[in-house]
Amino acid sequence: MPYVKQLLLEIKDIESKLNNEYKKTDVNLNIIKELILEKKTKEADFDYIIMSCDLDILELFSSNDIKRIKYYIIFKK
């Protein structure tokens, strides 16, 4: 999953750029807006990858296994 690690590094880099921009006395709102949009896009890519992995894992289970997992999640918390 090197792509996931790369995405996480890019998100941290964007957060660092945002923090640096916030520290400036003359804050450029257009730069902040662009960075926030870029961060949201990277986070959406990350979330999609995680959901895809979850769906791939669920395909390994039978429908009875999934029912037991749901039962465990609902009643064992």
Side-chain angles (χ1 to χ4, degrees):
M1 297 268 190
Y3 181 68
V4 172
K5 288 181 182 179
Q6 181 63 32
L7 268 176
L8 290 174
L9 288 174
E10 290 174 8
I11 291 170
K12 282 187 176 188
D13 184 49
I14 294 169
E15 289 173 348
S16 175
K17 289 177 184 177
L18 276 169
N19 286 333
N20 290 336
E21 192 64 32
Y22 289 139
K23 291 176 185 177
K24 293 180 180 178
T25 55
D26 186 24
V27 176
N28 187 337
L29 295 178
N30 288 328
I31 292 175
I32 290 176
K33 179 181 174 182
E34 290 173 13
L35 288 170
I36 289 172
L37 290 174
E38 184 180 354
K39 181 182 174 192
K40 294 296 179 187
T41 301
K42 300 286 182 187
E43 289 173 337
D45 291 344
F46 178 77
D47 290 343
Y48 176 79
I49 291 170
I50 297 300
M51 286 188 302
S52 296
C53 291
D54 289 346
L55 291 174
D56 290 343
I57 291 170
L58 283 176
E59 289 179 0
L60 299 173
F61 295 105
S62 69
S63 59
N64 285 334
D65 291 335
I66 293 173
K67 286 178 185 175
R68 281 188 265 156
I69 291 169
K70 287 180 181 177
Y71 176 85
Y72 179 80
I73 290 171
I74 293 170
F75 294 108
K76 298 296 180 180
K77 282 189 174 184

